[in-house]
Amino acid sequence: MQKITASYTDFYQLTMAQVYFLNQNHEDQSVFDYFFRKLPFHSGYAIFSGLEVLIDILEDFKFTSEELQFLEKQGFHKDFINYLSDFQFNGEIKSVQEGDLIFPTRPVLQVKATIIEAQIIETVVLNILNFQTLIATKASRIRLAAPHDTLIDFGMRRAQATGAYYASRAAYIGGFDATSNVKAATDFDIPVSGTMAHAFIQSYENELDAFRDFAEVHPDNCVLLIDTYDTLRSGLPNAIKVAKELKAKGHQLKAIRLDSGDLAYLSKKCRETLDKEGFENVKIAASNQLDEHVIKSLKDQNASIDVYGVGTNLVIGNPDAALDGVYKLAFADGKPRIKLSENVAKSTLPSEKQVYRIRNQENEMLGADIITKTDETHVEKMHHPFDLTKSTTYHSHILEPLLKTVMKDGKRYEKKKSLSKIKAYAAKRLNELPEEYKRFANPHIYKVGVSTQLLNTREKLRETLKK
């Protein structure tokens, strides 16, 4: 993929940055929070994804000479252009671990840097984290629908251009086993998988010859697509002929694939025939506009499907298409900052913060995260962030801090995590989440609240600004 440089930003980030620079307050220290307001897919949770990619980008986030020439043509001041020629991110980032469960309103990532640095990186932060978190969450829901089956990302051809590249990465974190995307598989060390297209079979005079040639070249990894002409009267009988020929040569047909028709009915008929012919080990794969709801329906119908190839609905995050993540100023020039709104839910939380996950003495999740000021280490009372009449008290609990330093002085703070470790961590954290939060229909609402200190800081600031 093409390297992402500092021009990968919105134009208004630079128009604001020039004002900071020319007014000589660009070195003021600031804190920005990245968070989102609404869970996608009516889900009870989201899976945080994209952090390691973001760190890689920010470590070398600079303007090229060609980009500076372009900006000069847009009328930017020469002194500002000179400043940008040496621009790099030197700030600190605290974040939850990639693969963790995240919930609305609470900070997921916190940027502490000069105001100009924090502003210029805003767009890339949102672009990388919003998309990958959306896809990882979708993938996780599909995994919940098919907990023991093989899941393969087939979405590259239907994705929004090169978005397929990061979609494959996020899908793997969310629980998929492999991808058809060769570039993503190469760069991220994801298992790669693929079968054949209808065009391959159509290019032959008859289906059987196509199957035989494919099996000859791929005797130990042969998956035959059987619905080009007639699934049960042509495709399946021809696949069984090839399976017998492979067996005679000491090989085994790996699977057949269904890509159209009544998948539940066809899969059961294919399974019945394969078993009758002695091919109980041949798997059945299915594709064609699958998502978590279709797969759950197939499961409820006892479909005989072992492998699901999921494409469009996965990589575009259907039906939500975007995570509404935002990046808001919380502290600047030595003072807490807040965005006011007539809708209290749109008001932001001021100050530098920490987020704790509340657990019981057995270290089990209690379904609540609490947002505090950074210097708070023991909190028992949690307030609803928007309804001041609601609060909850926790006794004999454990507070697990979630925001940890991942970048310091513009450099990665810890050793880079492999994608397989991030995937395993995501599975572990999801396994800790009680089942009621993982329901597809009306999942239990995970509580996110604020400490008394943070609530008082916000309310005092709201009153001051209103006056």
Side-chain angles (χ1 to χ4, degrees):
M1 296 296 292
Q2 187 175 358
K3 180 182 176 182
I4 292 178
T5 60
S7 69
Y8 196 75
T9 191
D10 285 308
F11 191 70
Y12 83 153
Q13 309 290 10
L14 299 178
T15 61
M16 290 185 289
Q18 179 167 253
V19 177
Y20 293 140
F21 177 78
L22 295 178
N23 282 282
Q24 298 185 1
N25 61 346
H26 58 292
E27 295 293 333
D28 288 354
Q29 289 297 306
S30 67
V31 175
F32 281 78
D33 294 329
Y34 166 73
F35 62 97
F36 65 97
R37 294 193 175 102
K38 180 186 175 185
L39 284 163
F41 318 120
H42 302 290
S43 179
Y45 66 92
I47 299 285
F48 180 48
S49 181
L51 177 64
E52 292 289 344
V53 171
L54 178 65
I55 294 172
D56 283 344
I57 291 169
L58 293 182
E59 277 196 307
D60 194 28
F61 199 61
K62 299 175 182 177
F63 291 92
T64 67
S65 57
E66 292 81 9
E67 289 166 350
L68 293 173
Q69 289 171 15
F70 172 80
L71 294 177
E72 192 168 8
K73 291 177 182 177
Q74 308 312 307
F76 283 97
H77 196 284
K78 286 191 175 182
D79 290 344
F80 179 59
I81 297 292
N82 288 335
Y83 168 80
L84 292 183
S85 67
D86 294 321
F87 174 84
Q88 62 183 50
F89 178 71
N90 292 306
E92 175 184 342
I93 293 181
K94 290 183 179 179
S95 174
V96 305
Q97 190 168 326
E98 187 167 12
D100 204 353
L101 305 175
I102 56 175
F103 303 94
T105 72
R106 43 143 288 192
V108 175
L109 178 142
Q110 181 178 266
V111 174
K112 189 175 183 179
T114 64
I115 188 75
I116 196 168
E117 289 172 12
Q119 201 80 73
I120 288 176
I121 72 167
E122 173 183 0
T123 301
V124 73
V125 169
L126 293 170
N127 179 266
I128 296 296
L129 301 184
N130 281 346
F131 178 67
Q132 291 196 49
T133 297
L134 180 81
I135 304 306
T137 304
K138 185 70 172 181
S140 174
R141 288 168 58 80
I142 295 170
R143 171 51 72 196
L144 287 178
H148 307 297
D149 300 311
T150 299
L151 298 177
I152 305 173
D153 154 35
F154 275 5
M156 187 177 186
R157 63 182 58 197
R158 300 287 178 80
Q160 283 90 343
T162 52
Y165 180 71
Y166 288 126
S168 296
R169 179 186 186 276
Y172 189 65
I173 289 173
F176 271 54
D177 299 292
T179 181
S180 67
N181 187 329
V182 178
K183 178 63 174 172
T186 303
D187 291 354
F188 298 125
D189 195 25
I190 303 172
V192 67
S193 180
T195 58
M196 60 170 63
H198 295 109
F200 175 80
I201 297 163
Q202 291 171 272
S203 70
Y204 283 75
E205 290 303 315
N206 67 76
E207 186 177 55
L208 183 58
D209 286 345
F211 285 178
R212 280 172 171 159
D213 280 2
F214 193 86
E216 183 70 26
V217 176
H218 304 285
D220 298 310
N221 191 31
C222 184
V223 179
L224 301 176
L225 179 61
I226 66 170
D227 70 331
T228 303
Y229 301 117
D230 189 309
T231 300
L232 297 180
R233 291 187 292 181
S234 174
L236 182 60
N238 283 332
I240 289 173
K241 287 179 185 177
V242 172
K244 290 178 178 178
E245 293 168 2
L246 282 169
K247 187 176 181 179
K249 297 176 183 178
H251 302 287
Q252 180 178 300
L253 178 66
K254 188 174 182 179
I256 58 171
R257 177 161 74 95
L258 303 168
D259 190 50
S260 61
D262 188 329
L263 297 180
Y265 170 78
L266 291 173
S267 67
K268 286 187 276 191
K269 285 293 183 182
C270 288
R271 182 77 277 156
E272 181 183 323
T273 304
L274 287 168
D275 291 353
K276 191 181 296 183
E277 294 288 344
F279 294 108
E280 296 89 349
N281 292 329
V282 173
K283 295 185 181 299
I284 298 176
S287 50
N288 187 27
Q289 298 301 316
L290 300 177
D291 64 9
E292 65 268 42
H293 301 290
V294 174
I295 292 173
K296 185 178 184 303
S297 174
L298 289 168
K299 288 290 193 183
D300 291 343
Q301 297 172 71
N302 297 313
S304 295
I305 299 171
D306 310 289
V307 181
Y308 292 92
V310 188
T312 307
N313 291 316
L314 168 68
V315 299
I316 69 168
N318 190 50
D320 281 356
L323 183 75
D324 67 337
V326 294
Y327 183 87
K328 298 297 183 182
L329 182 67
F331 192 87
D333 194 23
K335 300 174 185 177
R337 306 288 175 161
I338 189 172
K339 175 190 176 293
L340 291 183
S341 172
E342 291 183 8
N343 180 356
V344 181
K346 287 289 186 81
S347 294
T348 60
L349 292 169
S351 302
E352 193 174 347
K353 296 175 283 292
Q354 178 57 277
V355 179
Y356 291 98
R357 181 149 293 159
I358 302 176
R359 296 177 176 272
N360 62 20
Q361 290 297 315
E362 287 71 45
N363 205 34
E364 297 169 327
M365 291 176 64
L366 293 180
D369 288 356
I370 183 167
I371 313 163
T372 73
K373 300 181 80 170
T374 50
D375 55 359
E376 296 184 73
T377 56
H378 182 75
V379 181
E380 290 191 347
K381 193 169 188 179
M382 183 174 86
H383 302 266
H384 191 286
F386 313 124
D387 186 344
L388 302 186
T389 66
K390 294 181 179 180
S391 64
T392 305
T393 302
Y394 292 91
H395 298 290
S396 302
H397 60 278
I398 297 170
L399 294 179
E400 177 193 3
L402 300 180
L403 296 180
K404 298 180 180 179
T405 302
V406 296
M407 289 192 81
K408 187 85 169 177
D409 299 324
K411 298 299 179 185
R412 181 183 293 278
Y413 191 70
E414 295 179 336
K415 183 180 177 182
K416 186 173 182 177
K417 294 180 176 66
S418 69
L419 202 59
S420 59
K421 285 187 176 180
I422 297 170
K423 174 187 172 76
Y425 181 73
K428 173 181 177 293
R429 298 296 263 191
L430 187 60
N431 188 55
E432 294 175 356
L433 186 68
E435 291 301 315
E436 56 266 28
Y437 298 97
K438 294 184 272 192
R439 294 192 298 247
F440 283 0
N442 302 313
H444 206 62
I445 297 173
Y446 191 95
K447 293 183 177 67
V448 174
V450 298
S451 70
T452 302
Q453 280 192 41
L454 182 57
L455 180 67
N456 290 340
T457 299
R458 185 188 73 180
E459 292 309 300
K460 287 178 183 177
L461 195 53
R462 279 169 57 87
E463 289 303 316
T464 300
L465 291 174
K466 282 181 179 179
K467 291 176 182 177

